[in-house]
Amino acid sequence: MVWIVRPGPEVLLLRRPDRRGGGEHPVTGKADKHELPAACAEREAFEETGLRGHLVDLEFCHRYEHKQRQVEEYAFLLRVPRGSEPNISNEHVSARWAGPKEALKVLEWEAHREALARALKALQHGG
């Protein structure tokens, strides 16, 4: 899970198509075999948005079951420069920048809210 934030701060929200559950989310994805979480985060963020920046480990891991498998989802903040715009992949139908309060309000999953709260706190502390 990668929260992409540009100065403002503004949070990037990606909308998934209805066939993939819909809703607005951060970047998410699966690690390749032997890929470390940070490398996966950078790769997935670039593949899904075309954006690169300064990656910060939020030291948060969300564990859940999916299709009878245990999943670990690590959370990161990707700080991108002012004026950055995503070039979204076909995994998403749209993207938009939102203020922190609005972003927190529209999120469906508690783990996404927790990770975003950590990302915003990291920004306040220079992360």
Side-chain angles (χ1 to χ4, degrees), residues 3-13 51-54 77-86 95-100 116 119-120 123:
W3 281 109
I4 299 176
V5 180
R6 67 182 184 184
E10 293 181 296
V11 178
L12 184 63
L13 295 171
L51 296 172
R52 294 190 193 274
H54 177 73
L77 160 66
L78 184 69
R79 288 186 5 231
V80 298
R82 183 177 312 280
S84 294
E85 290 297 338
R96 70 181 178 105
W97 295 100
L116 179 54
L120 295 169
L123 284 172

Side-chain angles (χ1 to χ4, degrees), residues 67-108:
K67 297 182 181 179
Q68 299 180 343
R69 290 185 41 209
Q70 289 297 315
V71 176
E72 291 184 336
E73 183 176 50
Y74 296 88
F76 294 87
L77 160 66
L78 184 69
R79 288 186 5 231
V80 298
R82 183 177 312 280
S84 294
E85 290 297 338
N87 180 14
I88 61 171
S89 71
N90 62 2
E91 293 181 43
H92 307 285
V93 294
S94 67
R96 70 181 178 105
W97 295 100
K101 287 181 183 178
E102 181 184 357
L104 286 165
K105 189 187 314 182
V106 301
L107 298 174
E108 293 179 48

Side-chain angles (χ1 to χ4, degrees), residues 1-5 11 26-27 37-38 41 54-62 73-79 111-127:
M1 168 184 352
V2 184
W3 281 109
I4 299 176
V5 180
V11 178
V27 168
H54 177 73
L55 190 72
V56 177
D57 186 341
L58 297 174
E59 299 179 3
F60 175 69
C61 179
H62 172 228
E73 183 176 50
Y74 296 88
F76 294 87
L77 160 66
L78 184 69
R79 288 186 5 231
H112 289 176
R113 285 190 293 276
E114 171 68 19
L116 179 54
R118 286 175 179 247
L120 295 169
K121 187 174 180 180
L123 284 172
Q124 290 176 345
H125 294 98

